[in-house]
Amino acid sequence: MQSQPSPTIEDYLSLLFVLERDNEPVVGARLAELLGVKPPTVTNTLKRMSRHGLVALDNPQGPRLTSSGLQAARTVMRRHMLAEWMLVRLLSWSKAHEHAHQMEHAISDELEAALVKEWNDPRTCPHGNPMPGHESVVADWVPLAAVPAGQSVTIRRVHELAEETPGLLAFLEEKGILPGCTAIVQEVLPFNQTITLRVEDREVSLGFPTARYLFVEL
């Protein structure tokens, strides 16, 4: 296998890592949707990854990372998150993810080690997602969608899959819904799938699909 996978393969590795970590279904159609490609492209890429020993395709639950694939995926995720920490010093919080996605592929072992030292070996990324190996840090945080009205919460995490929703990070930043901020769940309306938060002196309404991927500490 090549010493470092191509950027395209690294994108697949990252997504498979997140889905497997969270016990989410791994099916070709969903991979295609999340990656913004056609299903035949996913099939061909997974076959290529299988030839390189990165994924196993004979699993009833769908493609799964091999030990080599998992190791490579953890490296990509770690470098992406370290790049985010570097970028939040230069750009707004909502822009760090997009730019880190471009930078992660160019980070060397030497630079990775330097970034780990610079940021004191962080356990999460700026969006609150766990660094590989530190998943226990987020274990007690619950989805905002599961919180009843009247509860005070601290926003802790914006899930990786939510980061891919166009405009969502900018919206959250504009409304002050950032890791570390406190909020009160004012209203939960199942009939129209919305949750209303009070953040400081403003009210913000979020749909259930978004609230599912925001994690809070009670």
Side-chain angles (χ1 to χ4, degrees):
M1 191 190 75
Q2 54 192 339
S3 59
Q4 181 172 336
S6 69
T8 296
I9 297 299
E10 288 189 337
D11 290 344
Y12 278 72
L13 289 170
S14 298
L15 181 54
L16 288 169
F17 176 85
V18 169
L19 294 174
E20 286 190 31
R21 182 198 64 195
D22 296 349
N23 297 313
E24 294 270 354
V26 181
V27 294
R30 189 165 191 224
L31 291 175
E33 178 185 359
L34 292 170
L35 290 163
V37 299
K38 296 184 181 300
T41 300
V42 171
T43 300
N44 291 334
T45 304
L46 289 175
K47 288 179 178 178
R48 187 162 74 251
M49 294 173 70
S50 177
R51 290 195 296 271
H52 290 162
L54 296 171
V55 298
L57 300 179
D58 56 355
N59 194 300
Q61 283 74 45
R64 287 292 184 271
L65 293 170
T66 63
S67 58
S68 296
L70 178 60
Q71 181 179 355
R74 287 164 63 92
T75 296
V76 178
M77 291 296 296
R78 187 165 54 249
R79 291 177 177 180
H80 175 88
M81 293 176 174
L82 290 169
E84 287 182 330
W85 278 116
M86 179 172 57
L87 288 165
V88 292
R89 299 291 183 93
L90 306 171
L91 303 171
S92 66
W93 175 85
S94 62
K95 293 181 179 179
H97 171 73
E98 177 184 358
H99 288 275
H101 182 67
Q102 305 303 319
M103 293 180 60
E104 66 194 38
H105 308 298
I107 293 178
S108 64
D109 293 345
E110 182 180 8
L111 180 55
E112 178 187 340
L115 291 172
V116 168
K117 182 178 180 180
E118 176 68 20
W119 309 129
N120 298 314
D121 197 11
R123 297 187 296 172
T124 68
C125 77
H127 306 98
N129 293 302
M131 286 277 186
H134 293 289
E135 288 78 13
S136 62
V137 172
V138 308
D140 293 333
W141 301 341
V142 299
L144 179 60
V147 178
Q151 178 74 53
S152 177
V153 300
T154 301
I155 306 297
R156 291 298 184 195
R157 177 186 179 197
V158 181
H159 193 278
E160 289 96 341
L161 296 183
E163 290 180 307
E164 302 300 331
T165 302
L168 178 57
L169 292 181
F171 172 82
L172 295 175
E173 185 173 37
E174 177 189 353
K175 301 301 183 182
I177 303 176
L178 303 171
C181 85
T182 59
I184 297 174
V185 179
Q186 285 202 311
E187 191 174 51
V188 179
L189 299 177
F191 70 88
N192 70 349
Q193 303 274 293
T194 61
I195 292 177
T196 300
L197 299 178
R198 174 162 289 278
V199 183
E200 295 183 349
D201 60 346
R202 72 178 78 181
E203 290 187 353
V204 183
S205 291
L206 300 171
F208 279 10
T210 295
R212 177 190 173 199
Y213 287 122
L214 295 182
F215 289 79
V216 301
E217 185 176 18
L218 304 179

